[in-house]
Amino acid sequence: MISISNSYDLLLFLKEQNLIDEKDEYWWPNDNSFEILLGAILTQNTKWTNVEKSLDNLKNLNINSLEKLSQIDLQTLIFAITPSGFKNQKSVRLISLSKNILEVFGTFENFCLKVDRRWLLEQKGIGPETADAILCYSCKQEYMVVDSYTNRLLKRFGYEFESYEELQNWCEYGINENYDKIAKLYNYEISLNKVYSRFHGKIIEFMKRNPKG
Ligand code: 39A
């Protein structure tokens, strides 16, 4: 393993390996922002392959908007999301989140523009990782998601963090500090949100290919 002094060095190390060349532009499978919101909740405590099965079931039921999700029959939702686990808890939370978004923001588009991290963290079942996944990938805001893969990867490089926020700050700081160099690498066509999105995606893909340090 090479040694790294900051998250920019880590990004360069991962970028050289072309880990997400075949993936979507922002790495997270990107049919639409509403589906990303569903995926961000469904992926809690389960593998992504299980989430894909639940998302397919919801697509087959044509649950493609907050309005439809807020009115779905609970048992139908529970059955549809069974593959991704915690089906009762996640169903209640999805319905209540969709109702709260409609009540406070009116539309999904307005939610993406106006929502902040604090509001998301006040919702039942949404912790920092889920909130940041929604902000980063659904709403295209400038937050980087960090997770157990990020923690484990950085441990291999000798870094340990005391909290989610400390790890997130470390990741975002090195990127911000070196944003000019990064933008140059991408021919100045990359937003900070896209750098965070792709960086997180590279970390996950690297760890899936290299599960043992
Ligand atoms: N753990 C994960 C994932 N693994 C993923 N993909 C693969 C595509 N997403 C979108 C979220 N969490």
Side-chain angles (χ1 to χ4, degrees):
M1 215 47 133
I2 58 151
S3 87
I4 58 166
S5 343
N6 53 41
S7 63
Y8 171 66
D9 289 346
L10 178 61
L11 176 69
L12 291 184
F13 166 76
L14 296 170
K15 192 171 181 335
E16 274 171 12
Q17 305 186 40
N18 303 321
L19 296 157
I20 60 170
D21 288 357
E22 313 292 314
K23 307 281 177 185
D24 287 55
E25 199 181 345
Y26 289 79
W27 172 71
W28 193 294
N30 198 9
D31 263 12
N32 62 57
S33 292
F34 174 69
E35 192 183 296
I36 295 174
L37 175 95
L38 297 174
I41 307 272
L42 294 175
T43 199
Q44 293 170 342
N45 304 307
T46 194
K47 286 185 185 158
W48 184 253
T49 44
N50 297 331
V51 177
E52 287 177 323
K53 291 177 197 150
S54 293
L55 289 175
D56 278 348
N57 292 342
L58 292 171
K59 226 180 235 175
N60 291 335
L61 291 169
N62 208 21
I63 302 301
N64 55 10
S65 69
L66 284 174
E67 287 77 4
K68 288 183 187 167
L69 180 61
S70 67
Q71 286 161 19
I72 193 173
D73 165 65
L74 180 62
Q75 291 309 318
T76 307
L77 182 57
I78 289 173
F79 189 65
I81 69 163
T82 295
S84 42
F86 300 91
K87 56 185 181 175
N88 296 311
Q89 198 181 62
K90 287 179 183 174
S91 293
V92 170
R93 288 176 179 177
L94 278 171
I95 292 176
S96 125
L97 178 65
S98 62
K99 286 184 176 162
N100 290 348
I101 294 176
L102 285 170
E103 193 180 309
V104 174
F105 299 97
T107 62
F108 187 70
E109 291 68 29
N110 195 42
F111 161 75
C112 284
L113 283 176
K114 306 254 176 74
V115 70
D116 60 26
R117 197 167 189 266
R118 198 161 55 160
W119 189 86
L120 282 170
L121 291 175
E122 283 165 1
Q123 306 306 303
K124 222 173 168 47
I126 298 194
E129 188 182 324
T130 307
D132 291 333
I134 294 170
L135 291 167
C136 179
Y137 291 103
S138 241
C139 304
K140 303 282 183 275
Q141 295 190 24
E142 290 175 352
Y143 289 89
M144 176 156 168
V145 183
V146 294
D147 50 22
S148 55
Y149 291 108
T150 320
N151 242 319
R152 277 191 278 127
L153 176 57
L154 282 164
K155 208 166 174 186
R156 290 183 196 173
F157 285 102
Y159 288 89
E160 295 206 46
F161 299 89
E162 282 177 8
S163 66
Y164 179 96
E165 273 74 21
E166 194 186 30
L167 171 60
Q168 184 186 44
N169 286 340
W170 187 89
C171 287
E172 292 186 352
Y173 184 80
I175 297 302
N176 271 287
E177 283 282 284
N178 293 284
Y179 181 67
D180 284 354
K181 283 188 246 167
I182 296 166
K184 207 169 176 179
L185 278 177
Y186 286 93
N187 295 322
Y188 298 97
E189 279 168 8
I190 193 152
S191 63
L192 185 55
N193 167 264
K194 202 193 269 189
V195 178
Y196 288 157
S197 301
R198 293 180 64 85
F199 187 19
H200 174 233
K202 287 175 205 291
I203 291 170
I204 292 202
E205 301 297 341
F206 178 84
M207 292 303 281
K208 285 189 173 174
R209 284 171 213 194
N210 303 276
K212 299 217 166 75

